[in-house]
Amino acid sequence: MMMRRGAERNTLPNMSTKTRRRVRMWIPQLMVLALGCLALANIWVAPLPDTLPGPRPINTLIFLLICLTLLWRQRVPVAVLFAVIFLVVVQSALFHPSFQNPVRQIPLVSFLALIWCFYSVAAYSGVRRAVVAGAIAGVVILPAFLLTLRAGVHPENILPSLLFFAWAWFIGTTVHQRQVQAARLQDLAVQLEL
């Protein structure tokens, strides 16, 4: 009887670990799916006020590319960040090439994708790579924001976006540091057990 209880105790943590791994594996894909559904709803069903004007099929294609790119954010976060920045810039340039009718903000789904990319770079890259990628992304994004300022957009519409990007990057850095610390503690525990 005692051996059975002990065996049950040992299998339950393993089952929860397997379940946790499955959940961790599927949550990012489900989040990308939710982001894609939000984009499609934004384009086809109930456009939000900040949606970029233009042909719906082109907007759909751009958001589809953004969502597909996000599936790779854990493996190659820096490349995903720059790919999403490029797609958002293309999206803005296609629909507002002359900035005669400036956009107050980028579309919500594009903004959420960029926040997620900044978080991913900091969480899944090394510290040095995350700092360099964040700095380069800032250098790339800053001229676009300066152009929108020049076009007549008020700074209070732009500064919160920059703060959200910095906040996401900081949270990703914190998560990365905790993961590294947890791995070190696990290695130390294994060494002490040996």
Side-chain angles (χ1 to χ4, degrees):
M1 189 77 168
M2 291 290 277
M3 300 234 352
R4 273 180 130 178
R5 286 185 186 165
E8 287 174 9
R9 284 185 195 150
N10 288 338
T11 58
L12 286 178
N14 289 338
M15 289 173 62
S16 67
T17 302
K18 289 179 184 176
T19 304
R20 273 190 249 139
R21 285 183 185 159
R22 287 182 185 159
V23 168
R24 282 187 199 148
M25 182 180 76
W26 283 102
I27 282 182
Q29 282 83 357
L30 291 175
M31 288 176 65
V32 169
L33 181 65
L35 198 66
C37 290
L38 179 64
L40 290 176
N42 190 8
I43 294 169
W44 294 96
V45 179
L48 295 174
D50 65 345
T51 304
L52 286 171
R56 289 179 176 177
I58 294 175
N59 255 330
T60 303
L61 177 65
I62 290 172
F63 282 123
L64 178 68
L65 290 173
I66 287 172
C67 290
L68 288 175
T69 304
L70 286 173
L71 291 173
W72 295 91
R73 70 180 183 81
Q74 291 180 337
R75 292 187 184 112
V76 284
V78 175
V80 168
L81 172 68
F82 290 118
V84 170
I85 288 173
F86 173 76
L87 288 169
V88 171
V89 167
V90 165
Q91 184 181 47
S92 298
L94 278 176
F95 301 124
H96 289 285
S98 63
F99 287 98
Q100 292 172 353
N101 186 10
V103 183
R104 287 188 311 241
Q105 300 173 355
I106 62 173
L108 176 65
V109 179
S110 300
F111 180 68
L112 293 175
L114 282 172
I115 287 176
W116 201 7
C117 289
F118 273 97
Y119 165 82
S120 299
V121 164
Y124 301 116
S125 299
V127 176
R128 185 180 306 158
R129 182 176 284 177
V131 169
V132 170
I136 293 172
V139 167
V140 170
I141 290 175
L142 192 60
F145 284 130
L146 292 176
L147 282 174
T148 55
L149 279 176
R150 187 173 172 208
V153 178
H154 295 289
E156 61 265 12
N157 292 335
I158 296 172
L159 293 178
S161 299
L162 295 175
L163 292 176
F164 272 113
F165 296 149
W167 173 73
W169 188 87
F170 176 73
I171 289 176
T173 303
T174 305
V175 167
H176 179 74
Q177 289 172 349
R178 291 193 181 206
Q179 288 173 345
V180 168
Q181 186 180 13
R184 285 181 188 162
L185 289 174
Q186 190 174 9
D187 290 343
L188 183 61
V190 169
Q191 290 174 3
L192 288 174
E193 189 176 329
L194 290 174

